């Protein structure tokens, strides 16, 4: 077993590491550690890379993120990836004022549920971290007569700007706030997050 202490950085937050990952990938020297939901919230875990390397990982934060680089040496780079997620894909109608309003309302409702949301090539994806019927009901309330499909997507789809504290890499659903953040939902309902 190879022991890894700490994280070098994250390919989604560091352009130099992203470029380095491309270089290593071009020579087939990137090993991925695919982490399940249980292990991604641990600061110590044991895993096997897709190349068969057994690693014991100790990090100085409470959870790892997709794209975290665990090791870079002359021969290889070891990068964290998350297991693919089951998700609902939503095809929105053609771009009209009504479709734009529906998209904004969908984002608002999904955000209120503290679920992730990603848009790729005109399709909206919501991970099935809640019961499928609940997710479908929320979506159908906003965008009736739309095609909903269950699919599996890479967890990296939900990675946002890590430089600005937006770690939504499938590790913790919902939106990210700083400490002692209050917000209102526009209905007289307010709540505070004290982290």
């Amino acid at each position: 077993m190879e022991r890894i202490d700490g994280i070098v950085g994250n390919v989604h937050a560091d352009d130099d590491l992203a470029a380095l990952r491309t270089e290593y990938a071009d020579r087939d020297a990137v090993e991925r550690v695919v982490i399940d939901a249980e292990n991604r919230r641990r600061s110590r875990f044991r895993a096997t890379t897709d190349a068969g390397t057994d690693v014991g990982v100790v990090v100085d934060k409470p959870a790892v993120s997709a794209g975290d680089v665990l090791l870079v040496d002359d021969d290889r780079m070891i990068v964290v990836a998350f297991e693919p997620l089951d998700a609902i894909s939503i095809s929105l109608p053609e771009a009209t004022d009504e479709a734009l309003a529906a998209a904004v309302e969908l984002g608002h409702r999904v955000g209120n549920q503290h679920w992730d949301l990603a848009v790729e090539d005109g399709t909206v994806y919501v991970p099935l971290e809640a019961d499928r019927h609940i997710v479908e009901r929320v979506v159908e309330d906003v965008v009736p007569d739309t095609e909903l499909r269950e699919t599996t997507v890479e967890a990296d789809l939900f990675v946002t700007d890590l430089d600005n504290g937006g770690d939504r890499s499938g590790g913790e659903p919902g939106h990210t706030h700083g400490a002692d953040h209050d917000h209102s939902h526009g209905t007289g309902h307010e709540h505070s997050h004290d982290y």
Side-chain angles (χ1 to χ4, degrees):
M1 178 182 71
E2 186 169 344
R3 181 180 165 126
I4 296 175
D5 292 310
I7 294 172
V8 176
N10 190 291
V11 297
H12 301 295
D14 184 324
D15 292 339
D16 293 335
L17 277 177
L20 195 59
R21 179 180 62 174
T22 300
E23 290 175 27
Y24 277 72
D26 287 347
R27 46 183 233 241
D28 201 26
V30 174
E31 294 184 34
R32 293 178 358 136
V33 174
V34 179
I35 306 294
D36 61 19
E38 182 179 327
N39 282 329
R40 71 180 101 172
R41 291 184 179 88
R42 293 185 176 173
S43 60
R44 296 170 178 254
F45 58 90
R46 188 171 175 175
T48 303
T49 71
D50 58 357
T53 305
D54 186 28
V55 294
V57 180
V58 179
V59 296
D60 58 357
K61 61 183 193 172
V64 293
S65 298
D68 280 349
V69 176
L70 301 176
L71 175 90
V72 178
D73 63 23
D74 292 339
D75 300 322
R76 68 196 162 148
M77 173 185 269
I78 299 178
V79 181
V80 171
F82 289 162
E83 288 182 327
L85 298 171
D86 290 332
I88 291 287
S89 70
I90 306 147
S91 300
L92 293 176
E94 291 295 319
T96 63
D97 287 344
E98 293 80 20
L100 180 59
V104 170
E105 179 66 18
L106 179 62
H108 177 75
R109 296 246 185 123
V110 167
N112 279 345
Q113 296 294 327
H114 295 255
W115 298 332
D116 281 332
L117 179 138
V119 179
E120 183 177 71
D121 298 328
T123 301
V124 177
Y125 297 92
V126 178
L128 284 173
E129 293 173 347
D131 180 85
R132 177 190 171 109
H133 299 293
I134 294 170
V135 175
E136 287 176 344
R137 188 176 66 233
V138 167
V139 171
E140 289 171 346
D141 282 351
V142 178
V143 192
D145 305 322
T146 191
E147 179 185 348
L148 301 180
R149 292 183 309 116
E150 188 168 340
T151 187
T152 302
V153 297
E154 291 299 320
D156 284 0
L157 181 65
F158 298 98
V159 173
T160 59
D161 187 358
L162 295 175
D163 282 336
N164 294 321
D167 181 1
R168 292 181 54 188
S169 54
E172 190 64 38
H175 54 267
T176 302
H177 294 298
D180 300 322
H181 176 82
D182 294 321
H183 67 261
S184 170
H185 293 277
T187 60
H189 169 78
E190 296 184 10
H191 64 268
S192 172
H193 299 281
D194 298 316
Y195 300 104

